[in-house]
Amino acid sequence: MKRKPVVPREQADRDVDDALLYYLSETDETVALGFIDALEQACAHIGRHPATGLPRDAHELKLPGLRAWPMTRYPYLVLYVEHPDRIDVWRVLNGQRDIPEWMQEADPV
């Protein structure tokens, strides 16, 4: 299977920045770097196997095809939509939060 490019939307980049700021202020650089490593591993997996993510709130959010993939060792989910030529990462959110509420802040299609 051909790997698709994984493209973060602007809001996903902001989510990652927020998570990094949190980890740097509450823990240390090692934990923040681990977060980046886990995110890179999640994106690599999604690029190779996009259909393995769990369908997530797509109907409620009016975002067909929305899927979630959990990050290893961190409570975050990578929320994405597969397209024929790429994977759009919409958000990178803490899975313990109200995902539909947070997704309403997502960039317009």
Side-chain angles (χ1 to χ4, degrees), residues 51-69:
T52 59
L54 296 174
R56 183 75 191 226
D57 306 307
H59 178 72
E60 181 178 348
L61 296 168
K62 297 181 176 103
L63 191 57
L66 181 68
R67 292 184 173 273
W69 185 256

Side-chain angles (χ1 to χ4, degrees), residues 83-103:
H83 297 283
D85 61 337
R86 71 188 186 287
I87 307 294
D88 278 343
V89 174
W90 279 77
R91 302 295 301 263
V92 178
L93 297 174
N94 189 313
Q96 298 169 348
R97 303 285 178 141
D98 182 353
I99 300 295
E101 181 179 319
W102 278 39
M103 284 295 293

Side-chain angles (χ1 to χ4, degrees), residues 7-16 18 39 43 46 61 63 66-69 71 76-81 88-94 98-107:
V7 181
R9 297 176 67 94
E10 188 175 323
Q11 183 60 53
D13 284 336
R14 286 193 296 265
D15 293 337
V16 171
D18 290 345
L39 177 60
C43 288
I46 291 165
L61 296 168
L63 191 57
L66 181 68
R67 292 184 173 273
W69 185 256
M71 290 174 51
Y76 282 78
L77 298 172
V78 178
L79 295 132
Y80 64 95
V81 175
D88 278 343
V89 174
W90 279 77
R91 302 295 301 263
V92 178
L93 297 174
N94 189 313
D98 182 353
I99 300 295
E101 181 179 319
W102 278 39
M103 284 295 293
Q104 295 302 329
E105 301 169 17
D107 298 337

Side-chain angles (χ1 to χ4, degrees), residues 15 17 32 48:
D15 293 337
D17 289 344
R48 286 188 311 273

